[in-house]
Amino acid sequence: MWASSGDGGSGGDPSNNAQNRSNLLGTIYRIDPTPSAGAPYSVPGTNPFVGEAGVRAEIWAYGLRNPWRFAFDSATGDLWIADVGQGSREEINLEPAGSGGGRNYGWKAWEGDVRFSDVAAADPFFPIYAYGHDQGCSITGGVVSRGGLAALEGVYLFSDYCSGVISGLQIVGGDAVSVVDLGLRAPGAVAFGTDPNGDVLVALLGGGVRRIIDN
C-alpha cells in the first residue's frame, strides 16, 4: 500500500519535517497492510531505508510539501508526484519505474526549482516541470492517459485548483518536452482517476465528476 503525507502544516515547514526522515511527514511511504508480529502492518524489505538507524523504514521518498496527488503510469510503472508549493511555485516530479526509491525532492530547501531557504537538503531531485503563481495557485496531480483517449495516449494530465486549466505534459527521453493547455476547464478540480475503459475522470470539490472524452 502506498500513501503520502504533507509536511505537517504551518507555513514554511518551521520544524523542517520534510527533511527529517525520523517521521513520515512530507513523504511518500509504502507498507504491507498485513499485520505481522503483533504490529498492524509490516514494511517491505525492498524499501530504500530499511535498516538505516534513525530513519522510518516506511519511507519511499521525502522532501515533499504537500503531494497532491501521486499516481503510477499503468503502462510503465513510472511514479508521478504533483507537489503543492508554498507561495510561488508548483511542481511535478517524475520517478522512473525501477528507481528503487529514496529520493529527496528538496522541500523546504527548494520550492520547485527555486531556492526557498538555507536548510540542508542532501542530493535533491528537481521537478521535471514547475510553474509560477501567475498561472495558478495549487496543483492537482493527475494521471497518464492510457487507452481511453487516443489523441492523448501517454500524456500526463493535471490541473490547477485556482485556474481550472487542465494541461497535458509529454515526456520524451526523460525530459518534459511540452505542456499544452488542452482547452478544458474544471474549476475546483481536486482529483483525477480513470474508469474501466481508460477514460480520464476529474473530481470537483464543489461536487460532481467529469469525464474527458475524444472530440
Side-chain angles (χ1 to χ4, degrees), residues 7 10-19 63-65 86 104-111 114-121:
D7 66 11
S10 191
D13 190 11
S15 298
N16 199 28
N17 288 319
Q19 290 297 317
L64 295 161
R65 181 180 177 273
Q86 175 68 45
N104 177 6
Y105 287 105
W107 175 253
K108 70 174 187 174
W110 296 86
E111 181 186 9
V114 175
R115 190 72 179 181
F116 181 83
S117 74
D118 60 0
V119 302

Side-chain angles (χ1 to χ4, degrees), residues 15-152:
S15 298
N16 199 28
N17 288 319
Q19 290 297 317
N20 180 2
R21 293 176 296 157
S22 68
N23 65 65
L24 296 179
L25 296 173
T27 72
I28 289 176
Y29 53 97
R30 184 177 71 153
I31 64 170
D32 181 342
T34 305
S36 176
Y41 62 84
S42 59
V43 176
T46 53
N47 275 11
F49 301 118
V50 169
E52 188 168 333
V55 179
R56 292 291 294 265
E58 299 96 323
I59 295 173
W60 180 265
Y62 68 106
L64 295 161
R65 181 180 177 273
N66 181 14
W68 194 277
R69 304 177 177 252
F70 71 90
F72 290 94
D73 183 337
S74 61
T76 67
D78 295 340
L79 174 59
W80 291 80
I81 309 166
D83 198 18
V84 177
Q86 175 68 45
S88 65
R89 303 292 282 172
E90 306 296 307
E91 68 180 85
I92 296 172
N93 299 288
L94 175 58
E95 184 171 315
S99 72
R103 289 187 171 191
N104 177 6
Y105 287 105
W107 175 253
K108 70 174 187 174
W110 296 86
E111 181 186 9
D113 51 2
V114 175
R115 190 72 179 181
F116 181 83
S117 74
D118 60 0
V119 302
D123 300 322
F125 280 82
F126 292 100
I128 196 164
Y129 177 69
Y131 65 90
H133 282 191
D134 57 333
Q135 300 177 51
C137 77
S138 181
I139 194 168
T140 296
V143 295
V144 177
S145 178
R146 295 292 183 188
L149 298 165
L152 296 175

Side-chain angles (χ1 to χ4, degrees), residues 160-173:
D160 187 277
Y161 178 79
C162 295
S163 72
V165 174
I166 296 179
S167 302
L169 189 155
Q170 292 181 296
I171 301 297
V172 174

Side-chain angles (χ1 to χ4, degrees), residues 145 147-153 157 184 198-200 211-215:
S145 178
L149 298 165
L152 296 175
E153 180 69 16
L157 304 181
L184 302 173
D199 288 337
V200 176
R211 181 164 61 102
I212 301 174
I213 61 174
D214 276 324
N215 184 355

